[in-house]
Amino acid sequence: MNLKIIDTHAHYDDNAFDDDRYELLSSILSESVDSIITIGTSIEKSRFSVEITEKFDRVYAAVGIHPEDCENIPDDYIELLKEMSGNKKVVAIGEIGLDYHYDGYNKDIQIKIFREQLELAEELNLPVIIHSRDATQDTMEILREYKPKGVMHCFSGSAETAREIIALGMMISFTGVLTFKNSRRAVEACAAVPMERLMLETDCPYMAPIPHRGKRNNSSYTVHTAEKVAEIKGLTTEEVISICNKNAISFFNLKN
Ligand SMILES: [Zn+2]
Ligand SMILES: [Zn+2]
């Protein structure tokens, strides 16, 4: 295929890339990948993500505090994020949201940090990348209140929730989870999302699509998720990539 793909959500700061981070990025960007947004999850990781973008024209960053990293953050974290977002390669605030998956999470802190970052994004006029795991009800309640320019990433909720997110004016992005054999719910949700609201992502190094499931993921595998979307929507893979690329360019205001 000669159409290069945009991966809207990756974690190239991750230790899984320590041995070959820049070689891998150079190679996939020269072959099958058009652009990548690498996503921060803490102050340090957001900083590193911005640093990675400086080495490649077509790598962008999002800066933000992930719900699982909400504790022990500096008091002036909003100021620090604001400073980082002054860099022109920073295209979004994220990933932010709620994650009640593991025992011991602090709901009140997560909600407070989520809200503060939604307000920051509004002030900076940047889109937000939302992470929600086992927290649909609280996440949706906050999104209904803020109605951000946002994308719900790694979506694995129901078709009904997908429709509500769309009704709020938001985007939805899917990872390789869509290709898994037990992904019926995600497939139904994908069918409910209009093409103009859909984006593709890897969430690498995690969530590698079939046929790479269980291995380290990277942005070049986004094509397998595109193939699955094409099957669900009755389109060609090229059509899916072309539409999703356009959506990503306009949503994140990526420079051509
Ligand atoms: Zn996430
Ligand atoms: Zn992520």
Side-chain angles (χ1 to χ4, degrees), residues 9 11 39 41 66 95 131 153 201 203:
H9 191 117
H11 295 276
I39 314 290
T41 51
H66 187 287
E95 58 186 293
H131 168 106
H153 109 93
E201 60 160 307
D203 208 13

Side-chain angles (χ1 to χ4, degrees), residues 214-255:
K215 297 197 199 116
R216 184 182 74 168
N217 197 1
N218 76 67
S219 301
S220 71
Y221 297 166
T222 312
V223 68
H224 301 294
T225 306
E227 284 164 1
K228 184 69 188 185
V229 172
E231 184 192 313
I232 296 165
K233 297 289 191 185
L235 297 170
T236 66
T237 305
E238 285 82 355
E239 285 169 331
V240 168
I241 294 174
S242 159
I243 297 169
C244 291
N245 282 0
K246 274 192 206 120
N247 294 344
I249 289 167
S250 99
F251 179 77
F252 289 110
N253 196 19
L254 305 181
K255 301 287 169 279

Side-chain angles (χ1 to χ4, degrees), residues 73-87:
I73 51 172
D75 289 342
D76 61 344
Y77 82 96
I78 287 287
E79 278 311 307
L80 298 173
L81 291 176
K82 203 186 279 190
E83 239 169 73
M84 281 185 246
S85 65
N87 186 306

Side-chain angles (χ1 to χ4, degrees), residues 186-220:
V187 168
E188 284 168 9
C190 177
V193 179
M195 273 314 293
E196 69 271 16
R197 296 296 189 84
L198 205 150
M199 295 195 291
L200 302 168
E201 60 160 307
T202 54
D203 208 13
C204 67
Y206 316 106
M207 311 285 179
I210 286 175
H212 305 286
R213 188 171 181 181
K215 297 197 199 116
R216 184 182 74 168
N217 197 1
N218 76 67
S219 301
S220 71

